[in-house]
Amino acid sequence: MVLGGGSIYISLEVLIAVGCCLGNVLVIWAVWKSGALNKPTFCLIVSLAVADFLVGAVAIPLAVIVDIHVKIPFYACLFISCVLIVPLQASVLTLLAIAVDRFLRVRIPFR
């Protein structure tokens, strides 16, 4: 089923997923231990770490399943593709929220 470069692709995807999950668990742990969750910026950073953790734990494995052309029914493939999009969009929208937060902190510093 997987030929030549496919095994290299899967190995790299697994390596990226494991690194993504471990790195984001460290971020969540560091913010939790520092007690900074009462500040909005750190809440957004933890939210981004959770979204990126879901990308590594859910989206990347599902992307590998879709990419190696596993025989699955059409609606299952459609469902997997939709589930793939959700954590990616959550990550991007959290980055947008952090950018807006930082912009407002610089633009209106003393309110």
Side-chain angles (χ1 to χ4, degrees):
M1 184 175 292
V2 178
L3 301 173
S7 59
I8 295 172
Y9 166 74
I10 292 173
S11 300
L12 287 175
E13 287 285 352
V14 167
L15 187 66
I16 290 169
V18 168
C20 180
C21 289
L22 290 177
N24 286 301
V25 165
L26 284 175
V27 169
I28 295 167
W29 178 75
V31 173
W32 181 270
K33 289 299 273 186
S34 71
L37 276 175
N38 58 351
K39 297 177 182 163
T41 301
F42 289 107
C43 284
L44 288 172
I45 289 173
V46 168
S47 176
L48 177 64
V50 168
D52 286 344
F53 178 82
L54 287 175
V55 168
V58 175
I60 292 177
L62 289 178
V64 169
I65 288 173
V66 169
D67 202 43
I68 62 173
H69 305 293
V70 174
K71 284 280 201 184
I72 53 176
F74 172 74
Y75 288 110
C77 184
L78 188 63
F79 178 75
I80 288 173
S81 297
C82 290
V83 170
L84 247 163
I85 293 170
V86 172
L88 296 172
Q89 282 299 105
S91 180
V92 169
L93 292 175
T94 305
L95 278 173
L96 176 67
I98 291 172
V100 168
D101 177 60
R102 294 291 86 204
F103 172 76
L104 292 176
R105 293 281 179 179
V106 169
R107 185 83 171 128
I108 312 168
F110 297 114
R111 289 188 190 173

